[in-house]
Amino acid sequence: MTDPVRPLRVAMIGHAFMGAAHSQAWRSAPRFFDLPLDPVMTVAVGRDAARAADAADRLGWAQSSSDWRAVVARDDIDVVDVCTPGDTHAEIAIAALAAGKHVLCEKPLANSVAEAEEMAAAAASAAERGVRAMVGFTYRRVPAIALARRLVEQGRIGEIRHVRASYLQDWISDPEAPLTWRLDKEKAGSGALGDIGAHIIDLTQHITGDRILEVSAQLETFVKERPTADGDRGAVTVDDAAVFIGRFTGGALGIFEATRFATGRKNSIRIELNGSAGSLAFDFEDMNVLELYDASEPAETAGFRRILVTEPEHPYVEAWWPPGHGLGYEHGFTHQVVDLVNAIAAGTDPAPTFADGLQVQRVLAAVESSSDTRTWQEIPT
Amino acid sequence: MTDPVRPLRVAMIGHAFMGAAHSQAWRSAPRFFDLPLDPVMTVAVGRDAARAADAADRLGWAQSSSDWRAVVARDDIDVVDVCTPGDTHAEIAIAALAAGKHVLCEKPLANSVAEAEEMAAAAASAAERGVRAMVGFTYRRVPAIALARRLVEQGRIGEIRHVRASYLQDWISDPEAPLTWRLDKEKAGSGALGDIGAHIIDLTQHITGDRILEVSAQLETFVKERPTADGDRGAVTVDDAAVFIGRFTGGALGIFEATRFATGRKNSIRIELNGSAGSLAFDFEDMNVLELYDASEPAETAGFRRILVTEPEHPYVEAWWPPGHGLGYEHGFTHQVVDLVNAIAAGTDPAPTFADGLQVQRVLAAVESSSDTRTWQEIPT
Amino acid sequence: MTDPVRPLRVAMIGHAFMGAAHSQAWRSAPRFFDLPLDPVMTVAVGRDAARAADAADRLGWAQSSSDWRAVVARDDIDVVDVCTPGDTHAEIAIAALAAGKHVLCEKPLANSVAEAEEMAAAAASAAERGVRAMVGFTYRRVPAIALARRLVEQGRIGEIRHVRASYLQDWISDPEAPLTWRLDKEKAGSGALGDIGAHIIDLTQHITGDRILEVSAQLETFVKERPTADGDRGAVTVDDAAVFIGRFTGGALGIFEATRFATGRKNSIRIELNGSAGSLAFDFEDMNVLELYDASEPAETAGFRRILVTEPEHPYVEAWWPPGHGLGYEHGFTHQVVDLVNAIAAGTDPAPTFADGLQVQRVLAAVESSSDTRTWQEIPT
Amino acid sequence: MTDPVRPLRVAMIGHAFMGAAHSQAWRSAPRFFDLPLDPVMTVAVGRDAARAADAADRLGWAQSSSDWRAVVARDDIDVVDVCTPGDTHAEIAIAALAAGKHVLCEKPLANSVAEAEEMAAAAASAAERGVRAMVGFTYRRVPAIALARRLVEQGRIGEIRHVRASYLQDWISDPEAPLTWRLDKEKAGSGALGDIGAHIIDLTQHITGDRILEVSAQLETFVKERPTADGDRGAVTVDDAAVFIGRFTGGALGIFEATRFATGRKNSIRIELNGSAGSLAFDFEDMNVLELYDASEPAETAGFRRILVTEPEHPYVEAWWPPGHGLGYEHGFTHQVVDLVNAIAAGTDPAPTFADGLQVQRVLAAVESSSDTRTWQEIPT
């Protein structure tokens, strides 16, 4: 922080759960990492002017607005951070890229493959003009996950044969939980599959470095009607849960589950990879730990080791606390900001790109189609 | 043990790994449980007379024989315990039942549905004559599993929505592991699917009290050739791994995996059930523990509780040691003997029956067929 | 955040590890909690002007200074946050209180009982003038620890019989680790005992609501000489480890261990309480979890339950993320700021008070004296 | 088992909990291990003739007797296995050794140091005549514990600095639990200290290869009166719990706890050793696992590894089941028989010897004396 750094002026569209996480990330990143640009939390945007003003005040943005189009057009904005529901991602992100703004867009990239294709095309075109686009699969930046990726790249577990991944929540396991917009296909696009299944699709592809080739899936809506706000009952039009099996480009068998009905599991993202030379296991309910089995160890002392991913040698960790002082959920968002700002300054494309987001969208579409048609579906490349 | 009890004279066919486990069970059961009949370890049978004699001596059988047909015909034998490889189960078990002997037959019941059907028919016919038949899915009798079944029956986890089960081993994850008979379809019938997948099929159906209705599956042979004893290489003709999804009669979604390539997992049988009122989780690598989540607990103190299944209130446990003194793998076999002897004395059919074994066989066949045809397969009832 | 709130202008003295944690707390607290006063990060103070300026810039303080006396005297400062090494706490804190500033002072309160007594007296006198003082035992504000305290207060574990606590680190287990100021009694006052042992003394007294009455202790310096910066070797003059047993006012037996030589343990704070009605267990290496055993459960389903302390019903948690999204090390500091600001606004004394800090100091002194004299030592009240 | 082996005729004195465990061990050992002598379960002895006869029948002994003196004198007995309460150990063991019988004696060796000294002298004298004596600290022969000892001997954890050990039970944590003989000092000699504390004293000395030099201790009787069988209340005259700190000959600090009041802990034997090169951790509640931390690993991938101690490379395991098929509590007793029989056949002294048992007794006495006098006590050698 010895030299003055240029400001990077950010506008955030949307200020709910994701908005709070992104705000903390923009605020914290320059305090712990040496950034080549200085993020300025310029304006927070929401549909309702009063609520946007309150949110800007609470979340620490200098200004607020209820007109995202005007904000996206402002000369004094460098980055547009899209934290709105999925049905608005395409319009906002494409407009922002067209206006020459770098874009960070929450996942899933869009509510349909068609929209995602448009967005990826816009991002590719923008990239030629030096404008960057990134999709917010933040779990990639949990240090234990980043370490898993590093170890796979180093060949520590060899050729991967098995990928098993689940994302388990239980927040609507009670049949009397209310009918929210998240259970409405028009607005949410998808249920558990798109909301949380998208994460394990991205994570397993990211860690393995492979793509999912084909899937056979079953979606399920366990509770088909729920109470509405007006005291009536309405139809749930998205999936409560999705299970699927598949194959990765590298030959591994995959097995996946995403559900909001895993009673007692709150935000359990479990990933295990078995390779010819070792295995890796992760559970977000113990997020500062990565388990590694090294098959080259003598049998007498081989075992899954519990790596506490809090050492300076671990990804992102040196910037934080001494060994053993764990990080929390929101730190992944801070690391995302760090990587985005570094990429912008370096003039390189940050990952995951919109093309990566589109590919995840295609897997989601294949899963849905497989369940509908009860056939195996290939994922187009 | 106050009154003298009648002897129950046992012949055991086969004396390898399963023979050792069964022998210890026959020997131990009357020492810890009050049995209504007194098992007598009469004769151990093997193909080779000398090796059978050695085994009988080592495993504690009074006599040995290399002629199972002669043994099955003996008047002084009450029970035939079939511990041979799967390709001989049908012939031996049917002959023994025809000779009026009670039969305990190792799993999987047979190498094909056709054989299993014959066996189930023979058992049904024998039952009419008071002759009992039982298939050896011993894991049902691990106390933690038996407790899981009890809690489901009591409604403690409500309506079941999710069943996830895996059986993970790694003993052939090294591509240079030799080509044994277990990797030869002619002899073994099936690979990981029939050997270990059969257990999680039986266990999940047993604990839930439901049946699997339909499946979509993928089998895989990762290592297609292996070194043979004569220094050459030969083809692996069975599956190394199987993944499948399915649906239970009660509506639950199922997700299953059986593999011999899960590097670092030695005998990990993991089962988790999520219901409307709670959840249960088990891992055989920590076999004296059952985890229970009770959704009726206030959120402040709800959590998966680690039940150490070593209390006198737990199934089978009172006969053994004080609380906290765990049991091992072979105790399930002892409990199997206890339940079989009690059923014989009571004149009732022990579970799992040959019909249960046949049904598991049908699921196995459906899984294999689904993988071959890449379509969903229903399990006939 | 609807009404404008008055500013609370903060000066932070010291800007190393603790300074970074406190800065993040002052910055984050008003973004997640509705505070009755608005903290303003006014000035960061350090011995070296240039380094202080850098730190202020990096950590987000408006100004910097190298003259703490001048800062403490400023009219536009409301709170002095003391993050310096222990040998300067007394002078700074007493001066700040005398100047009418609220004081937050890092632990341990002082390097000696005499200093701590002066500080406690100063705080008592200041409290009469409405000036508040708090000592920074932040681990009290880890949600799982706060929940433990709540459950004990509710009587959930009954009368406490056993307290076992350890604080295990390993950062100097290598004999060639260099001789830093932390290993010099003149500067650090104490070794593992004062640095980390102080935390488990405070935590166990806080959670139980009892005080330690008497102790028998053994301190040890395993590595008596270490390499110095100038290539020579120098004497280690503090303890590497401390073990002690003791008695609480409520009758519980206590057993304690603090060490920097627990190879492989990075920051493992383990606390277990056994009571007549249940037990509680905590390990900071899995900091979002509290384990509870409820002895009123039927034996069939009793077990330690793993409470994921991420529900809105849990202390401090509602302000953060949805269930299952864990917090990290620094959140305890944010909660400390929240409680301090609330107390200042309410005109009440925040806990732990300087008197609490003094009492911990007396326990530390008794431990040291017990080890020196090899006798039991009572803790004066 | 190719050659016929000579019989080794065993008499067992006492047939309660320990008698059942020893019986299963004598019965099982020759079935899984190639023994140089063939144990014959000849006679079980108890005070009451009828109950002894029942027990012999149930536990599998050919004969029964109510006269241990007569049995000990029999020519056709080679080994006397003493499973009675501690107050009779000395008399029986000394008589048996005098009669030329090998003796296996349950722990603790005696109820006093004086008795233990006589026993050790008798054993030393018998050894000169080729008669063997062994004390039954069976937990040494849990494979994970035996592996821990092996790894320490190999130097895998270097110089040991910390030993922490606890033995936690809860069976009298209810104040209304009845007053049994185990709570009567006349009969039991000691409470938690002698019953379970003896095990962690033996185990830590065995694994480290060091002796405890000195201790400072506190014993406690939380519930001083309990209901008696006749409806009255009587005094508890032994300790409910013991905590102590100490020093090992190799320089390590020790910290110990034995209690019957650790609510929710059933038979939790936890041992952790921290050395200059690594650490080991064990908990009997997960008895097939040993955790190892290897400090020579790079920080990036270092972590406590969970060794599933079920491989053929592990102590005692090859005789049992394939990897991942765990053992239970009683297997340690079987391994004890194996080692005793091998020592008898080889003409060597089995460990732990009566001298080892005496040394443990001296530590127990020092702990008790330290608590009584509130001073540090050295353990005489």
Side-chain angles (χ1 to χ4, degrees), chain B residues 12-23 44-46 51 55 58-59 83-85 181-182, chain D residues 32 320-321:
Chain B
M12 183 176 78
I13 323 291
H15 50 65
F17 169 25
M18 277 303 103
H22 283 236
S23 298
V45 184
R51 292 183 55 235
R58 182 168 36 84
L59 299 177
C83 296
T84 54
W181 70 266
R182 283 187 177 275
Chain D
F32 291 89
W320 296 100
W321 314 114

Side-chain angles (χ1 to χ4, degrees), chain A residues 173-198:
Chain A
S173 65
D174 178 353
E176 294 307 305
L179 188 69
T180 72
W181 70 267
R182 283 186 177 276
L183 306 183
D184 176 356
K185 194 174 181 66
E186 297 272 316
K187 293 175 193 140
S190 172
L193 177 63
D195 184 22
I196 56 180

